[in-house]
Amino acid sequence: MTNNYVYEFGDSLYLNITNRCPNNCEFCLRKFKDGVNGSKLWLLKEPTFEELKEDIALFPLKKYDEVVFCGFGEPTCNLSVMSQIGPYLKGKGCKLRLNTNGLGNLINGRKDVAKLIAGYIDYVSISLNASTAEGYQEICRSKYGEEAFYAMLEFAADCVREGIDTTMSVVDFIGEDEIAACAEVVRATGARFKVRATIHEDTEY
């Protein structure tokens, strides 16, 4: 374990602010890897705002197309730090993306997470992965049960209403029929739809 709060991947800078997650997805990268692109992402502790700001200062922000809240956990589990560093980076002219399971409202016991982040998040990418609550729970095994599916869809619709560029995605292993069904679910939220490739144990990063 380390405290690797900031790492590069492609043309983006990523922020790894928590290892907590209410889901236990069967395809999750952290089931068979300890990091991405040579960066080990299991944390000894979550960062404070000051610690994260100090680590970000080591990277030339203008080099990156965007800064992404994405690591070995669900970023909204550390909403307090995310809501401090987000406006700070926005003030430096950064484009910000949140990769999320869409359960921020359930995690934080509130209904306004989309409104809260709209001031600094430009793009939201939400993992959908199933067209029904039952199917979602089978794949993602959320501690919230099937309620998680409906909370995720509501969050996506909230993000769209708040003017955030919102995409919902599925992993390609679910099959063509289920992908088509998911596309219909996403259409109802107003979000964009994306199919992403499955990450396998032998995939190189």
Side-chain angles (χ1 to χ4, degrees):
M1 285 188 176
T2 183
N3 282 329
N4 196 1
Y5 302 136
V6 185
Y7 66 102
E8 296 176 301
F9 189 69
D11 295 324
S12 301
L13 190 67
Y14 283 72
L15 304 183
N16 180 39
I17 61 174
T18 185
N19 287 158
R20 290 179 285 158
C21 185
N23 289 359
N24 183 26
C25 300
E26 64 179 58
F27 54 83
C28 185
L29 175 67
R30 65 187 194 172
K31 287 183 178 298
F32 49 84
K33 288 184 178 289
D34 61 3
V36 173
N37 201 32
S39 299
K40 297 184 184 301
L41 299 179
W42 289 114
L43 300 174
L44 291 168
K45 63 179 283 296
E46 292 181 353
T48 64
F49 168 63
E50 291 298 331
E51 288 170 335
L52 189 55
K53 189 167 70 169
E54 287 175 6
D55 282 8
I56 289 171
L58 301 175
F59 295 83
L61 290 175
K62 291 183 179 180
K63 170 185 174 183
Y64 307 102
D65 293 341
E66 61 181 355
V67 179
V68 187
F69 289 98
C70 179
F72 261 23
E74 165 52 42
T76 59
C77 286
N78 195 355
L79 186 62
S80 60
V81 166
M82 190 174 120
S83 293
Q84 293 176 79
I85 204 67
Y88 168 77
L89 290 170
K90 198 67 181 170
K92 291 185 171 294
C94 297
K95 292 290 187 182
L96 300 180
R97 174 159 57 97
L98 168 64
N99 286 0
T100 179
N101 57 28
L103 304 183
N105 286 332
L106 287 179
I107 291 165
N108 293 283
R110 53 195 302 165
K111 296 184 178 181
D112 62 347
V113 171
K115 184 175 182 178
L116 180 67
I117 68 175
Y120 59 89
I121 293 293
D122 299 286
Y123 314 102
V124 168
S125 180
I126 303 170
S127 297
L128 172 60
N129 298 320
S131 63
T132 65
E134 181 181 9
Y136 179 86
Q137 185 60 12
E138 183 178 345
I139 292 172
C140 297
R141 298 188 286 269
S142 176
K143 76 174 187 179
Y144 300 112
E146 294 185 5
E147 181 185 4
F149 180 78
Y150 301 106
M152 171 189 56
L153 296 182
E154 183 177 1
F155 176 74
D158 287 348
C159 287
V160 172
R161 281 193 295 270
E162 292 295 334
I164 304 172
D165 189 340
T166 306
T167 298
M168 302 190 80
S169 66
V170 297
V171 183
D172 59 8
F173 75 79
I174 64 176
E176 291 184 7
D177 290 345
E178 179 64 355
I179 287 172
C182 286
E184 289 300 312
V185 170
V186 172
R187 186 173 291 113
T189 70
R192 303 174 191 268
F193 180 61
K194 178 180 179 181
V195 180
R196 65 187 194 276
T198 306
I199 298 173
H200 299 286
E201 187 170 356
D202 57 355
T203 302
E204 291 296 327
Y205 284 92

